[in-house]
């Protein structure tokens, strides 16, 4: 005897909750062969700056496989303006993010930064900022120029009451 598969209506998927309880389907966006659904995330939907719509769109097959269309997902494709928000949040209290130093091409795009502690300006990738890297000068990773090193020697000599030769 042939098994009969019940065809589920798209409307029946409204109210579905992901296994971890974070995602909930609230409505249908577009009905078609691959119906798209509107869903909310218990975490990401609370962040109107990063996710101004407050909802996300996905197809049933992706959701059932555990693919999250929000910031909780493993392979999130952030937009340039979202990366700036994330970088500014990661830099808060340490340095200022002045914007992109080059044309945007993902997480390896360089940003113009300025240290709040000493005013040093440099450029580094979004990825470095997101991974907690900070000012290279404060970290001692900047080699002084010859003139800066010479001036430091002069200053130390004056401090110690020596004549600089």
């Amino acid at each position: 005897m042939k098994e009969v598969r019940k065809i589920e209506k798209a409307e029946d998927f409204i109210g579905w909750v992901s296994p971890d309880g974070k995602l909930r389907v609230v409505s249908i966006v577009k009905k078609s062969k691959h119906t798209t659904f509107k869903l909310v995330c218990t975490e990401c939907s609370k962040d109107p700056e990063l996710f101004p719509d407050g909802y996300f769109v996905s197809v049933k097959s992706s959701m059932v496989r555990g693919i999250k269309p929000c910031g909780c997902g493993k392979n999130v494709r952030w937009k340039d303006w979202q990366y700036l928000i994330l970088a500014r949040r990661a830099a808060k209290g340490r340095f200022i993010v002045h914007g992109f130093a080059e044309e945007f091409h993902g997480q390896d795009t360089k940003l113009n930064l300025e240290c709040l502690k000493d005013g040093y300006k440099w450029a580094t990738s979004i990825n470095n900022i997101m991974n907690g890297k900070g000012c290279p000068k404060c970290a001692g990773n900047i080699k002084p120029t010859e003139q800066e090193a010479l001036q430091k020697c002069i200053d130390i000599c004056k401090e110690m009451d020596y004549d600089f030769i």
Side-chain angles (χ1 to χ4, degrees), residues 4-58:
V4 178
R5 256 179 55 189
K6 181 184 172 196
I7 297 177
E8 202 175 304
K9 294 180 187 175
E11 291 81 5
D12 295 340
F13 198 59
I14 296 172
W16 176 87
V17 177
S18 63
D20 65 1
K22 286 187 175 184
L23 298 176
R24 182 173 45 88
V25 176
V26 293
S27 66
I28 296 171
V29 174
K30 182 181 173 192
K31 254 186 158 178
S32 66
K33 183 179 178 185
H34 300 287
T35 301
T36 53
F37 295 91
K38 181 189 287 188
L39 53 144
V40 292
C41 171
T42 57
E43 299 301 316
C44 301
S45 295
K46 294 177 192 173
D47 191 340
E49 183 184 23
L50 206 51
F51 306 106
D53 293 334
Y55 66 88
F56 306 90
V57 176
S58 185

Side-chain angles (χ1 to χ4, degrees), residues 46-115:
K46 294 177 192 173
D47 191 340
E49 183 184 23
L50 206 51
F51 306 106
D53 293 334
Y55 66 88
F56 306 90
V57 176
S58 185
V59 293
K60 179 180 176 180
S61 60
S62 293
M63 289 183 274
V64 170
R65 288 185 315 195
I67 298 171
K68 296 180 179 174
C70 61
C72 297
K74 290 181 182 177
N75 296 315
V76 181
R77 288 202 174 113
W78 300 103
K79 293 182 172 80
D80 57 351
W81 60 271
Q82 289 173 311
Y83 266 125
L84 278 176
I85 292 168
L86 292 168
R88 286 185 174 123
R89 288 178 181 179
K92 190 173 183 164
R94 299 183 305 142
F95 43 89
I96 300 165
V97 177
H98 288 295
F100 295 111
E102 60 189 9
E103 189 176 322
F104 179 76
H105 55 270
Q107 69 181 3
D108 293 324
T109 306
K110 293 197 183 312
L111 297 172
N112 287 318
L113 307 163
E114 182 179 351
C115 181

